[in-house]
Amino acid sequence: MYNLMVRVKNAKCGTSLSFFTFVISNAITPNMDGINDTIDFSGISGYKDFAASIFDRYGAEVYKASKGDVVWRGSLKGINLPTGTYWYRVQWENPASKKLEQRSGWILLKNRN
């Protein structure tokens, strides 16, 4: 979330504008080195109508975000998933426009066994 102060040139007053941008890493290596270990949806999990899922290449859901778990660690039921390409789908209500935002894309998971 970003907050900008906006002022017309030579004006003495201004206003603020709030907006945010959605960025998701498209590669994770959950080897617990502290770099790209997870996909973390906590930045948007508090927004209205939030939902996030990750699917394998066959379309099976391997992760679904819940209120208590908004971080995917490249595993399913505690077992590391195989290296491969996975797909995500996420939605939330944009707090500024009040419109439903939906994003989808791919994630490369590189697990080391």
Side-chain angles (χ1 to χ4, degrees), residues 14-51:
T15 188
S16 66
L17 171 68
S18 297
F19 75 96
F20 73 98
T21 184
F22 178 74
V23 177
I24 188 168
S25 174
N26 67 344
I28 64 170
T29 56
N31 57 5
M32 300 311 159
D33 66 354
I35 302 169
N36 297 327
D37 287 329
T38 64
I39 298 293
D40 186 350
F41 295 106
S42 62
I44 58 171
S45 65
Y47 292 139
K48 186 177 176 186
D49 296 327
F50 166 76

Side-chain angles (χ1 to χ4, degrees), residues 8-106:
V8 175
K9 188 176 180 178
N10 298 324
K12 295 191 186 247
C13 61
T15 188
S16 66
L17 171 68
S18 297
F19 75 96
F20 73 98
T21 184
F22 178 74
V23 177
I24 188 168
S25 174
N26 67 344
I28 64 170
T29 56
N31 57 5
M32 300 311 159
D33 66 354
I35 302 169
N36 297 327
D37 287 329
T38 64
I39 298 293
D40 186 350
F41 295 106
S42 62
I44 58 171
S45 65
Y47 292 139
K48 186 177 176 186
D49 296 327
F50 166 76
S53 294
I54 297 179
F55 305 89
D56 67 12
R57 65 182 174 174
Y58 303 109
E61 188 176 54
V62 297
Y63 170 79
K64 184 172 186 168
S66 64
K67 290 214 182 253
D69 182 22
V70 294
V71 178
W72 184 53
R73 293 168 179 81
S75 62
L76 174 62
K77 297 179 183 176
I79 299 171
N80 287 346
L81 290 167
T83 294
T85 303
Y86 293 80
W87 302 89
Y88 70 87
R89 183 173 57 220
V90 62
Q91 71 173 34
W92 69 94
E93 182 183 282
N94 184 317
S97 68
K98 304 298 183 203
K99 293 182 180 178
L100 187 65
E101 300 276 346
Q102 296 178 327
R103 300 287 188 277
S104 61
W106 59 272

